[in-house]
Amino acid sequence: MRLSAVDKKILNAIQENIPIVPGHFEVMAHNIGITEKELVEKIRKLREKKLIRDYSARLNHGTLGFKSTLFGFKVPEKKIAEVVDAIVPFGEVTHCFQREGEYNIWVAFIFKGGRDKVFLRKITKLIGKGNVLNLKTLKKFKLKTKLEV
């Protein structure tokens, strides 16, 4: 997909360091060299094209008392759709991927309380307890992506 130089500047700018000030779009637009109205319209169009998934704050889940884990599931090919349909409704699921290998469904899960146990009960009913790998986070080294467009 072809992006204009301005589109690239916008995509780079909105990935981090959005000014926490009244009129932040105006400040960002000024830094990019366009009007606030143009910026908002271009962001809307980039989102329509699915180049922007969402526009939101990243919370520090650890500071807020949340824990995280990475689940690997061995799911028979014929049950993948059923298992994924059971996984994605959980708001605690941040990522869900099908990958190659013995553990073919991977889920990043951020939770409070016993929500991980509720989640695991539901999934193990579908695939069995012996088909779960639970890799709890011991230490976070990086939780941020910035792609230079």
Side-chain angles (χ1 to χ4, degrees):
M1 172 172 287
R2 261 203 180 320
L3 295 170
S4 71
V6 171
D7 289 340
K8 290 177 182 181
K9 285 181 182 180
I10 291 168
L11 290 173
N12 289 330
I14 65 173
Q15 290 183 67
E16 65 181 2
N17 301 326
I18 294 173
I20 310 295
V21 296
H24 69 279
F25 280 131
E26 184 179 2
V27 172
M28 291 172 63
H30 174 76
N31 292 339
I32 293 168
I34 60 177
T35 68
E36 180 180 10
K37 185 177 179 180
E38 288 173 309
L39 174 64
V40 171
E41 181 60 20
K42 286 186 173 287
I43 289 173
R44 186 188 63 72
K45 286 182 179 176
L46 290 167
R47 191 165 181 185
E48 282 177 3
K49 293 178 183 177
K50 303 209 183 299
L51 291 169
I52 298 172
R53 218 180 1 202
D54 59 26
Y55 189 85
S56 60
R58 285 188 296 254
L59 303 179
N60 186 336
H61 67 271
T63 302
L64 292 168
F66 288 81
K67 296 177 183 175
S68 64
T69 192
L70 177 67
F71 292 114
F73 299 120
K74 291 186 215 175
V75 182
E77 192 70 32
K78 65 183 186 286
K79 291 191 92 174
I80 287 176
E82 178 186 5
V83 171
V84 169
D85 285 347
I87 289 170
V88 295
F90 281 84
E92 296 89 351
V93 171
T94 64
H95 298 78
C96 181
F97 294 101
Q98 181 177 0
R99 302 211 182 251
E100 294 179 357
E102 184 179 12
Y103 290 89
N104 54 348
I105 300 294
W106 290 89
V107 176
F109 197 82
I110 298 176
F111 63 97
K112 252 188 178 178
R115 287 293 291 167
D116 58 329
K117 292 171 184 56
V118 172
F119 176 74
L120 276 177
R121 272 194 301 275
K122 182 164 190 165
I123 304 308
T124 55
K125 280 183 186 176
L126 297 171
I127 63 172
K129 286 183 181 182
N131 295 313
V132 175
L133 186 60
N134 186 357
L135 304 171
K136 294 185 179 185
T137 301
L138 301 177
K139 182 176 180 182
K140 178 175 66 170
F141 295 99
K142 181 181 185 249
L143 187 63
K144 182 177 180 183
T145 303
K146 180 167 191 302
L147 305 173
E148 197 63 38
V149 181

